[in-house]
Amino acid sequence: MAAGDRKYFSKQLVALLVGAASCSYFGSAPASYGQASAPEQNIEKKIPEGAKLLLSANELVYNRDADLVSAVGGVQINYGGYKMVAQKVEYNQKTGRMMALGNVEMVSPDGNRIYADNLDVTDNFSDGFLNSLRIETTDNTRIVAESGERVGGTKMILNKGVYTACLPCAEDPKRAPFWQVKAKRVIQNGVTHTIRLESARFELLGYPIAFLPFIEVPDNTVKRKSGFLFPTMSLSQNLGFGLSIPYYYVISPSMDATVTTTGYTAQGFLVEGEFRQRFENGTHILRVAGIDQAKPDNFSSGTSDAEASRRGMVASKAEFRINPRWTFGWDVMVQSDNNFSKTYKLRDLTGTDHTNQIYLTGLGKRNYFDMRAFYFDVQDADRTNTAEKQQAIVYPSLDYHYVAPQPLAGGELSADVNLTNISRTHDDFYTVDGFDRFRGLKGQTSRLTGELEWKRTYVTPTGLVITPLLAARGDAFALNMNDPTGYAGNYLDDNSATRSMFTAGLEMRYPILMTTDNSTHILEPIAQIYARPDEQLAGRLPNEDAQSFVFDATSLFDRDKFSGYDRIEGGTRANVGVQYTGTFDSGYKLHGIFGQSYQIAGQNSFATDDLVNVGADSGLETTRSDYVGLGGVETPYGVSVTASYRLDEKDFEFRRGDLTTAYQNDTFQTQVTYTHLSAQPAYGFAEDNDEIQTNSKIKFKDYWSIFGGIAWDLNNDVLSRRTLGLTYEDECTIFTIAYTDTRDSDDETASDWTIGARLTFRTLGDIKIGTDTVQ
């Protein structure tokens, strides 16, 4: 063969590879339901510049009379990452067609594989066809067709195509996969970037379950395309069966919307709309929903669900990056009544409390700034909306933290500032077991807090770690709230107040490392002492942000154990404890903390009542606190036990804590948690609370699992939650169905029981009924 002929034949081989690669591109097209692939690129551009074509064959024949060039016998071609083998490759210069014949196999650079009996294309690959086509992609999706044809350089047509994402059965490859889609014709249009399946039939375990005259979806070059999305279904006690049909609409490259219509057999039609817009520096999402309830009396009488007929909601959420350090945003919702979004389970709006907020945050290398305004939307069935009216409106709350860049006297100097301004339209007052609690007073209050802290760490030659600490704090209050009627304490009846707190502290730790031939142990005794004056105005000021209080091992070594700024821990206090960590070569792991706190001098802030009795029966109200600890053990056999506890300082009675035992192996996993809270009447718990929660999952067969769980209120002997479900999961299909029954006598929700299910076909999408709860 002449040198010029070889060069021309090489160009045709390149065209053949590029054309065959187009089939590989099409082979991933059924995965286009995800619509998340990269934009289309010219395949020829994927071939590296200057790439060399390597050809290996038993014989190279050039027939000048027939203008036919052939590579015969064990043909192997490697070019730019593409690899192809065939029994014969020939190019006809008269017809401009090229053919690869006999057991054709091609692998593209991305790993996709094409198998065919023969491949026949024009020299520019605008037209051509393949026989007995099979395509395997790197994500284990497969397409098989009787034949394939490329027309006009823009369309690829597969005849009698079969698509599946399931692997073939190892024992019987001829057995039908778990699911597959068969179509008389599959047409991929390179101009409209769509795939049309004509006379489509969906089969499950070899049996047809759905027929469609045609279905058209975007191919994998399309990120977004208007059209209907997969429908979802739901089933609940008071709403009935619901079918949701969403329509996705592309408005522009930066805007889109989804409109969903849901028909409920018991309540009529719910319409939802979601508009999304992306900007250069952020995003905005606007949501609306509404329904005219057909049967409000399905709900419990006297509830907001039963009283409301026309119900609706508007929500807006946005976040914008002003610059790399500063972010501005909001998340707000307004609804016609206080339980609409929760009743109809609107996505991300189903919580009992929805926090409406607007915020500005900044983050630097050594400081941060956060300013937020809050309005708390309480979703319950109380038609008078009492709980929401009792919530504080925060406008705003500001936090600033700063760490000095240079050491001061060898230590770290930091500063904290907090500003809180709140108002309330209704008093939040209730009585439990004869104890009055004023969680909030009608009116307005403001507080400005500033604190400086210095600390330095020394390590002695013997390994003792010593950390001295100095802190100074000041608070200023503006008070314009109603006096707490009937409050037994000495509430401050002034329009303003100030207070201060100075702290000198010392912490000592002595980690001891012990090793044996098969284990490592770290034992670390810890002692702290903080000298402070008494808390000023203790119990005489409103307490808005320090109402939640739990004393346990995790807070034992905190300098101020109150959860917020409105209370300050005063007096001289010492915290003493020890923590331990052990690891064994056999796979066992141990950890634990145990300790106690002591009020050495001054007034005990936790023994001083305030408007919510936050320190009552907390374990810190006595001179010697209750004992607190936590511990756990992990075994190499899948068994683990963890516990946290608070024991009475006199008789070691179990006051508060939980015990969790878990086990897991390849076929079974379970977890049981027991929780105990002793009665704290002054703090709002009139009776002991004991609960057992358990969740388990058992795998049987190869892909099937059954799961379930309960929550058992031991004091009232009530199963407050029950869940039971079944799951099937293999490499191409996930199916889950779950039943959930929730009992709460204090909360009249839309449904006591629900059924949820999800069927996922990999690369195709989900079919949902409600919300599946997998344990």
Side-chain angles (χ1 to χ4, degrees), residues 481-501:
M481 310 183 81
N482 291 350
D483 292 341
T485 305
Y487 177 55
N490 183 21
Y491 184 73
L492 181 65
D493 188 15
D494 279 330
N495 293 327
S496 62
T498 60
R499 68 182 179 187
S500 61
M501 178 62 68

Side-chain angles (χ1 to χ4, degrees), residues 30-31 137 139-143 162-168 177-181 730-733 761-764:
T137 66
D139 64 350
N140 288 325
T141 58
R142 288 164 168 75
I143 259 196
V162 179
Y163 169 75
T164 184
C166 301
L167 295 174
F178 188 85
W179 64 264
Q180 61 185 2
V181 180
D730 62 18
E731 80 284 349
C732 64
T733 310
F761 301 109
R762 187 171 68 86
T763 73
L764 294 184

Side-chain angles (χ1 to χ4, degrees), residues 7 95 157 176 213 288 304 370 374 405 412 451 462 526 528 541 574:
K7 183 176 181 180
T95 62
I157 301 173
V288 296
S304 56
D370 185 280
F374 297 99
E412 179 185 85
E451 183 175 50
T462 60
I526 305 171
Q528 298 174 327
L541 295 168

Side-chain angles (χ1 to χ4, degrees), residues 150-166:
R150 185 169 176 86
V151 180
T154 60
K155 289 185 178 180
M156 175 69 77
I157 301 173
L158 298 184
N159 299 309
K160 294 184 179 181
V162 179
Y163 169 75
T164 184
C166 301

Side-chain angles (χ1 to χ4, degrees), residues 77-93:
I77 302 173
N78 192 326
Y79 178 68
Y82 293 93
K83 300 177 182 179
M84 188 176 75
V85 297
Q87 294 180 357
K88 183 179 181 180
V89 175
E90 61 181 30
Y91 173 69
N92 191 316
Q93 291 178 311

